[in-house]
C-alpha cells in the first residue's frame, strides 16, 4: 500500500508545479532571467499550436519552412531559460529543472525529425513537449496571460486538447464550463469513451487545486455518478472522490500552519485517508486526498 501512495503522490506532484508569488521588486529583478524567456516561449507556442493540432496543416509541404522556423525558435528560446532563475521566481522545486530538461530534449527531437521528413513523429513529439508547459499553467493562476490568448474555437481539437488549451491560456471559467458540458452531454462517453475518465480527472484536479471549490466539484461529480451510462470502474473511483469532497465541504476553515511539523502531520493524515479509500494498487479513489496533500506540501 505504501507503493500505492508513492505512485499516486508522484503523479500529482508531477501535475502540481505550484508557483509561489514573490514581491513585485523581486519579479522585476529576474524579468530577463525567467519572465522574459517565458513570454517569448509563450508566443512561440501560440504560433505553433494551430499546426500541431492539425495533422494536415503540419504535414503540408507549403508550411514546411514556416513550421521548421517556429520549432527552431521555440527550441532556441527554451535553451535560454535558466533553471536557477526559475527557482528564484517559482521556488526551489526540482521539477523546474526536470521540466526544462525534458522540454528542451523534446523540442530538439521535434525540430530534427521534422527537418528530416519524419513529420508525424515530429508532430507527436511537439505536442508532447507542450505538456511540460501545460503542467504548470494548469495548476496555478499565476503567469502571463496575453501571449497565451489562443483562439481555441478556431482549432480542430479533441475534447481533452480543448480543455488543456483553455486552461493553459488562462481561461479557467471557460475550461470548467466546457468540461462540465462534455461530462454531462453523453457525447463524451459515446464518441470519446477512452478519454472520459481523463477529462473527469482533469476537471477534479482543476476544481481542487486551482478553484478550491469542493461543493461545485461535488455537484458535478454526483451528476456523472448518477448517469447509468457511466462505467462501473469510474463509479467505484468516483465514490471515493465523493467521500473526500463531502468531508472537505463540511470542514471548518483551519488556521494557517505555523510550523513544518504541523504541515507534515496534516500530510500524514491526508495520505492515511487516501490509503483507507483505495482498494488496490493504482486505484484512483484517493485522488482528492492526494491533490489536497500536494497543495499543502507546496
Amino acid at each position: 500500500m505504501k507503493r500505492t501512495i508513492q505512485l499516486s503522490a508522484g503523479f500529482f506532484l508531477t501535475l502540481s508545479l505550484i508557483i509561489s508569488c514573490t514581491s513585485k521588486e523581486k519579479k522585476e529583478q529576474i524579468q530577463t532571467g525567467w519572465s522574459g524567456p517565458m513570454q517569448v516561449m509563450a508566443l512561440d507556442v501560440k504560433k505553433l499550436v494551430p499546426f500541431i493540432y492539425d495533422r494536415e496543416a503540419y504535414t503540408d509541404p507549403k508550411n514546411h519552412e514556416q513550421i521548421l522556423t517556429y520549432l527552431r525558435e521555440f527550441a532556441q528560446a527554451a535553451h535560454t531559460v535558466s533553471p536557477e532563475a526559475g527557482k528564484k521566481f517559482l521556488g526551489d522545486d526540482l521539477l523546474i529543472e526536470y521540466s526544462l530538461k525534458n522540454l528542451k530534449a523534446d523540442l530538439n527531437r521535434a525540430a530534427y525529425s521534422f527537418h528530416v521528413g519524419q513529420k508525424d513523429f515530429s508532430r507527436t513529439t511537439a505536442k508532447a513537449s507542450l505538456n511540460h508547459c501545460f503542467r504548470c499553467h494548469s495548476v496555478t493562476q499565476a503567469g502571463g496571460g496575453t501571449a497565451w490568448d489562443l483562439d481555441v474555437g478556431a482549432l480542430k481539437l479533441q475534447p481533452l486538447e480543448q480543455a488543456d488549451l483553455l486552461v493553459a491560456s488562462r481561461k479557467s471559467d471557460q475550461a470548467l464550463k466546457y468540461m462540465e458540458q462534455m461530462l454531462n452531454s453523453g457525447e463524451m462517453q459515446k464518441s470519446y469513451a477512452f478519454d472520459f475518465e481523463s477529462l473527469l480527472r482533469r476537471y477534479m484536479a482543476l476544481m481542487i487545486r486551482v478553484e478550491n471549490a469542493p461543493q461545485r466539484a461535488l455537484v458535478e461529480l454526483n451528476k456523472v455518478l448518477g448517469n447509468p451510462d457511466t462505467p462501473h470502474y469510474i463509479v467505484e473511483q468516483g465514490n471515493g472522490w465523493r467521500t473526500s469532497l463531502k468531508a472537505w465541504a463540511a470542514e471548518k476553515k483551519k488556521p494557517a500552519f505555523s510550523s513544518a511539523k504541523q504541515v507534515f502531520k496534516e500530510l500524514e493524515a491526508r495520505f492515511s485517508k487516501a490509503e483507507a479509500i483505495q482498494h488496490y494498487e493504482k486505484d484512483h479513489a484517493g485522488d482528492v486526498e492526494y491533490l489536497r496533500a500536494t497543495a499543502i506540501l507546496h
Side-chain angles (χ1 to χ4, degrees), residues 111-127:
Y112 176 77
S113 57
F114 187 88
H115 175 66
V116 298
Q118 299 173 346
K119 293 188 177 181
D120 282 330
F121 176 77
S122 171
R123 177 172 170 266
T124 299
T125 306
K127 186 187 292 188

Side-chain angles (χ1 to χ4, degrees), residues 157-160 162 177-197 199 224 227 229-231:
L157 302 171
Q158 300 293 312
L160 285 179
Q162 182 161 337
K177 290 178 181 178
Y178 174 74
M179 291 182 192
E180 290 169 355
Q181 174 188 343
M182 293 303 297
L183 290 171
N184 292 290
S185 67
E187 179 185 347
M188 191 72 190
Q189 292 193 45
K190 180 180 179 181
S191 303
Y192 305 97
F194 291 107
D195 291 338
F196 182 83
E197 181 189 6
L199 188 69
V224 172
N227 186 337
D229 294 327
T230 300

Side-chain angles (χ1 to χ4, degrees), residues 236-255:
E236 285 188 329
Q237 293 178 174
N239 284 330
W241 303 343
R242 180 157 55 188
T243 297
S244 296
L245 289 172
K246 282 183 176 179
W248 183 13
E251 285 179 6
K252 294 182 179 179
K253 188 175 181 180
K254 297 180 180 180

Side-chain angles (χ1 to χ4, degrees), residues 53-118:
Y53 290 96
D54 186 338
R55 182 183 181 278
E56 184 177 343
Y58 199 87
T59 57
D60 192 330
K62 71 180 182 182
N63 297 325
H64 180 88
E65 291 302 322
Q66 187 178 17
I67 295 173
L68 183 58
T69 298
Y70 290 162
L71 286 171
R72 287 172 172 171
E73 288 178 349
F74 192 12
Q76 184 178 9
H79 280 79
T80 66
V81 180
S82 165
E84 292 305 314
K87 290 180 181 179
K88 292 177 182 178
F89 189 68
L90 306 178
D92 189 7
D93 195 321
L94 292 175
L95 284 175
I96 298 171
E97 186 171 354
Y98 170 83
S99 296
L100 281 173
K101 179 181 178 180
N102 284 279
L103 174 64
K104 294 171 184 177
D106 282 347
L107 289 174
N108 285 340
R109 280 193 291 269
Y112 176 77
S113 57
F114 187 88
H115 175 66
V116 298
Q118 299 173 346

